[in-house]
Amino acid sequence: MDRDAILLTPGPLTTTLRTKLAMLKDWGSWDADFNAVTAQLRSRLLDVVHGRDTHVVVPLQGSGTFSVEAAVATVVPRNGHVLVPDNGAYCKRAARLTQMMGRKATVLPLAEERPIDVAAVEAALHSDASITHVVLVHCETGTGVENPLAAIAAVCERHGKGLIVDAMSSFGALPIDTRALRFDALVAASGKCLEGVPGMGFVLLRKAILDGCAGNSQSLAMDLHDQHVYMEKTGQWRFTPPTHVVAALAEATAQFVEEGGQPARLARYADNCRTLVGGMAALGFRPFLAPEVQAPIIVTFHAPAHAAYDFKRFYASAKARGFLLYPGKLTQLETFRVGCIGAIGRNEMQQAVHAVADTLREMGIASGAPAL
Amino acid sequence: MDRDAILLTPGPLTTTLRTKLAMLKDWGSWDADFNAVTAQLRSRLLDVVHGRDTHVVVPLQGSGTFSVEAAVATVVPRNGHVLVPDNGAYCKRAARLTQMMGRKATVLPLAEERPIDVAAVEAALHSDASITHVVLVHCETGTGVENPLAAIAAVCERHGKGLIVDAMSSFGALPIDTRALRFDALVAASGKCLEGVPGMGFVLLRKAILDGCAGNSQSLAMDLHDQHVYMEKTGQWRFTPPTHVVAALAEATAQFVEEGGQPARLARYADNCRTLVGGMAALGFRPFLAPEVQAPIIVTFHAPAHAAYDFKRFYASAKARGFLLYPGKLTQLETFRVGCIGAIGRNEMQQAVHAVADTLREMGIASGAPAL
């Protein structure tokens, strides 16, 4: 039957009908009513990290990667030098966009199955005094590992280095408290743990560094300082905002608050993750990561060792049962991923595990156990 | 009563309910079903300009300005030199983003009440052989003037210069035929004359120049060559697409085809424009532009000379009657603008004129006639 599939993907994800219904209205992007939507949304985003006194939030059109690029372009001076501790695909992407825009970037290669090694980052800062900023991916969606944000922030503060955090997959779910940790910029997007639809990102900027950001960006569209100054003055976005996406995110953040904010969202996702991992384990599947470093956002599973396994067939069969899985992103190992985020709960996760069980049966695979 | 206002703005604009309803579904951005939506949309966009054999279309997240910046970054080599004939705000913006990204740009200042002077452009090309590309704004939304695309394209071809067209407000309404005119890149966006919702742009690139674009962009997110190569290989967007916006644009383009394509859309907008200008003239209002250079997209009107006129009150009163007007964008003259585009027809334009008449009465203004 024609029924929407559950998206077990790390964004876009399944949103509530209430969030989607907020898109059934055309807003004038110049109008005061829409400015009020933007203002309320910005204020709620700051509240998520208790940053109302110390930070501003600058929304930006485009996907999350646009906001990461904008954060680097805006915060890092042209002669800056960025250290990127690398334990996954999104770290590599951050390094690449930094180098492309002409900023110096040093990549610190680290094992992708473990959180970023804080001592290694500190050693790198010691060994090269020209480093001005660190870019940290909070939750590496490539594997699902949670990186030690607080510890890295403390190291950066101790060494007087700027910190840019890609919190794309963690914002709203994992705790981030600006009163307890210092960063210059923190980036997230609409279609992740806030459960909006994709189409915009946003960057939290520390007020103390704002003035120093003027003129850094070589991109007009991605100049967050300019976007901020204009928005403060007019209440409007500089260039046409994705009005329907903004309205959906405003509605989604209202539901976020109603649910109980970040602690409630984390509790639901953690329960989703436990339900998934437990159910999959009973089918023989093994997660790529050790449980203690697994963020409850997206789980990477080893592919089954069985000769009949083929991701395309596996995906198609699970999809026919109403669940969209996600391909792996590791280069060395065959894996697949399952998201725990979105407007879904224990019921959906249990049904997803049943769908995977039925899929294995259909494929003639007795166990999801990997080769190793 | 709580009823949606009609947006008489140049995008975001009023869309059909059918277009908005297409957003009530969450798509997996990796899934084959969504790839099919993207593929069909891209094919329809090429058909609008008869470009299927000679051009590709690369969609991009963000507002239209993001796509203009991406087109310049992708098409113009780092040592290129761009000529920007300037008869309005969007010309100035194109020049600014070109200079910010480090490409040389020469601005050719021209009168904003007239179309760009083709002879002046040709003289500029003659006088500086180092110019490699021209950026032309097809319809200057700042005033509403239509610039001579075909004549400028012919000049560029004759001189062996590349041409980048900002067709943001014209694409789908004014005729653009790739079989009759040569350009390297042509840029438009979802929330304009195709009557989708805002949140993505797209760039038509001539196939013959594609290979030469590799490595030009200093922006990862805005590298249209990279986006194109990836999309051709995988059917997917490189970074998270605004799935709901894409689905809405696909639905809007289906209605575009059903309506009769570009000729039918132009006919409706031209009728909207005639209805508006005629009705407003009867109230004393005078358009800023001469009728023969007025594109039927957005009309700039002189502000009334009457002492009681104040744009904020005028806007609020028209809004209370269900119509959102648009502020002027001229620096020297007081004006306001009224859009003729969106899912609206003669009925809405007549009602808009009635609302303006009632507004004048309420403000105690006997006539909309300007001072001059």
Side-chain angles (χ1 to χ4, degrees):
Chain A
M1 306 304 290
D2 184 19
R3 189 156 172 265
D4 273 11
I6 297 290
L7 305 186
L8 299 172
T9 57
L13 36 67
T14 294
T15 66
T16 65
L17 181 58
R18 185 175 150 195
T19 294
K20 286 186 281 281
L21 286 172
M23 293 190 283
L24 293 188
K25 176 182 167 72
D26 297 313
W27 297 84
S29 58
W30 190 87
D31 191 69
D33 293 349
F34 183 72
N35 294 348
V37 173
T38 297
Q40 189 188 39
L41 171 60
R42 290 175 75 203
S43 151
R44 281 207 200 109
L45 294 175
L46 286 172
D47 285 346
V48 174
V49 295
H50 315 285
R52 210 183 269 240
D53 296 332
T54 49
H55 291 70
V56 299
V57 61
V58 188
L60 188 74
Q61 299 92 332
S63 80
T65 296
F66 286 65
S67 282
V68 173
E69 188 171 321
V72 173
T74 303
V75 169
V76 180
R78 307 238 175 153
N79 61 355
H81 179 182
V82 176
L83 175 72
V84 187
D86 171 13
N87 70 338
Y90 292 86
C91 306
K92 287 175 181 64
R93 186 185 290 178
R96 182 160 168 236
L97 62 83
T98 302
Q99 287 164 338
M100 277 184 72
M101 75 176 73
R103 306 290 193 276
K104 186 173 177 188
T106 296
V107 175
L108 176 65
L110 295 163
E112 63 187 354
E113 72 275 15
R114 286 196 298 275
I116 282 168
D117 179 353
V118 181
V121 172
E122 183 145 33
L125 294 180
H126 265 301
S127 75
D128 190 342
S130 76
I131 292 166
T132 56
H133 292 77
V134 173
V135 172
L136 177 75
V137 176
H138 189 192
C139 172
E140 229 314 333
T141 320
T143 55
V145 71
E146 179 180 347
N147 283 320
L149 172 56
I152 296 285
V155 165
C156 288
E157 187 168 6
R158 204 157 58 236
H159 288 261
K161 309 300 184 185
L163 174 62
I164 298 171
V165 184
D166 172 348
M168 209 62 69
S169 319
S170 61
F171 190 89
L174 302 184
I176 299 171
D177 189 336
T178 54
R179 298 166 304 188
L181 62 91
R182 199 191 77 161
F183 55 79
D184 288 353
L186 187 136
V187 188
S190 54
K192 304 287 182 179
C193 298
L194 293 176
E195 301 181 359
V197 306
M200 61 170 283
F202 52 90
V203 183
L204 298 149
L205 293 169
R206 193 153 56 91
K207 284 181 184 172
I209 68 144
L210 258 181
D211 289 346
C213 293
N216 279 345
S217 178
Q218 72 293 324
S219 163
L220 174 65
M222 292 189 181
D223 187 340
L224 297 173
H225 182 268
D226 198 38
Q227 177 95 318
H228 171 69
V229 169
Y230 187 85
M231 202 168 260
E232 287 298 300
K233 202 173 73 181
T234 65
Q236 300 162 27
W237 298 53
R238 280 182 312 164
F239 309 131
T240 305
T243 43
H244 302 72
V245 173
V246 176
L249 183 58
E251 187 58 46
T253 54
Q255 295 164 70
F256 174 82
V257 172
E258 288 166 23
E259 186 180 2
Q262 175 269 322
R265 189 132 307 180
L266 176 60
R268 175 158 59 85
Y269 290 173
D271 185 62
N272 286 351
C273 187
R274 270 191 306 271
T275 306
L276 172 72
V277 171
M280 292 291 275
L283 301 176
F285 285 98
R286 213 176 65 208
F288 171 69
L289 295 173
E292 63 274 16
V293 304
Q294 172 73 59
I297 306 296
I298 185 165
V299 182
T300 298
F301 288 99
H302 288 281
H306 198 285
Y309 177 79
D310 167 75
F311 178 71
K312 279 197 175 162
R313 277 192 63 206
F314 184 66
Y315 177 88
S317 180
K319 178 180 172 182
R321 290 171 169 79
F323 295 88
L324 295 197
L325 306 174
Y326 209 62
K329 211 167 176 135
L330 303 185
T331 45
Q332 303 298 321
L333 280 173
E334 195 179 355
T335 56
F336 64 93
R337 289 178 291 171
V338 186
C340 307
I341 62 178
I344 52 176
R346 190 183 296 182
N347 189 31
E348 285 77 11
M349 298 317 276
Q350 285 170 340
Q351 290 173 354
V353 171
H354 291 323
V356 169
D358 290 344
T359 291
L360 287 187
R361 258 192 297 280
E362 185 184 271
M363 293 177 78
I365 299 174
S367 161
L372 305 176
Chain B
M1 307 303 290
D2 184 19
R3 190 157 170 265
D4 274 11
I6 297 291
L7 305 187
L8 298 172
T9 56
L13 34 68
T14 294
T15 66
T16 65
L17 181 58
R18 185 174 150 195
T19 293
K20 286 188 279 283
L21 286 172
M23 293 189 282
L24 293 188
K25 177 183 165 71
D26 297 313
W27 297 83
S29 59
W30 189 87
D31 191 68
D33 292 351
F34 183 73
N35 294 347
V37 173
T38 298
Q40 189 189 37
L41 170 60
R42 291 175 75 202
S43 153
R44 281 206 201 110
L45 294 175
L46 285 172
D47 285 346
V48 173
V49 294
H50 314 285
R52 209 183 270 241
D53 296 333
T54 49
H55 291 70
V56 299
V57 61
V58 188
L60 188 73
Q61 300 92 333
S63 81
T65 295
F66 286 65
S67 281
V68 174
E69 187 171 321
V72 174
T74 303
V75 168
V76 180
R78 307 240 175 151
N79 61 355
H81 179 182
V82 176
L83 176 72
V84 187
D86 171 13
N87 69 337
Y90 291 86
C91 305
K92 286 175 181 63
R93 185 185 291 178
R96 180 158 171 238
L97 62 84
T98 301
Q99 286 163 337
M100 278 184 71
M101 76 176 76
R103 307 289 194 278
K104 186 173 178 188
T106 296
V107 175
L108 177 66
L110 296 163
E112 62 187 355
E113 71 276 15
R114 286 196 299 275
I116 282 170
D117 179 353
V118 181
V121 172
E122 183 145 34
L125 294 179
H126 265 302
S127 75
D128 190 342
S130 77
I131 292 167
T132 56
H133 293 77
V134 173
V135 171
L136 177 76
V137 176
H138 188 192
C139 173
E140 230 315 332
T141 320
T143 54
V145 70
E146 179 179 347
N147 283 320
L149 173 56
I152 296 287
V155 166
C156 288
E157 185 167 7
R158 204 157 59 236
H159 288 262
K161 309 298 183 187
L163 174 63
I164 297 171
V165 184
D166 173 347
M168 210 62 68
S169 320
S170 61
F171 190 89
L174 302 185
I176 300 171
D177 188 336
T178 54
R179 297 166 304 187
L181 64 90
R182 200 191 76 162
F183 56 79
D184 288 352
L186 186 137
V187 188
S190 53
K192 304 286 181 178
C193 299
L194 292 177
E195 300 180 1
V197 304
M200 61 170 282
F202 51 90
V203 184
L204 298 149
L205 293 169
R206 191 154 56 91
K207 283 182 185 173
I209 67 144
L210 258 180
D211 289 347
C213 293
N216 279 345
S217 176
Q218 73 293 326
S219 162
L220 174 65
M222 293 190 181
D223 187 340
L224 297 173
H225 182 268
D226 198 38
Q227 177 96 318
H228 171 69
V229 168
Y230 186 85
M231 202 169 259
E232 286 297 301
K233 203 173 73 179
T234 65
Q236 299 162 28
W237 299 52
R238 279 181 313 163
F239 309 131
T240 306
T243 44
H244 303 73
V245 173
V246 176
L249 183 58
E251 187 58 45
T253 54
Q255 294 162 72
F256 174 83
V257 172
E258 288 165 23
E259 186 180 1
Q262 176 268 321
R265 189 134 306 181
L266 176 60
R268 174 157 60 84
Y269 291 172
D271 185 61
N272 286 352
C273 187
R274 269 190 307 271
T275 306
L276 172 73
V277 171
M280 293 290 277
L283 301 176
F285 286 98
R286 211 175 68 206
F288 171 70
L289 295 174
E292 63 274 18
V293 305
Q294 172 71 60
I297 306 296
I298 184 163
V299 181
T300 298
F301 289 99
H302 289 280
H306 198 286
Y309 177 79
D310 166 74
F311 178 71
K312 279 197 175 165
R313 276 190 64 203
F314 185 64
Y315 177 89
S317 179
K319 178 180 171 180
R321 289 168 169 81
F323 294 89
L324 295 199
L325 306 174
Y326 209 61
K329 212 168 175 133
L330 302 185
T331 44
Q332 304 297 321
L333 281 172
E334 195 179 354
T335 56
F336 65 92
R337 290 178 291 171
V338 186
C340 306
I341 62 179
I344 53 176
R346 189 181 297 181
N347 189 34
E348 285 78 11
M349 299 318 277
Q350 285 169 341
Q351 291 173 356
V353 171
H354 292 322
V356 169
D358 290 344
T359 290
L360 287 187
R361 258 192 299 278
E362 185 185 274
M363 293 176 76
I365 299 175
S367 161
L372 304 176

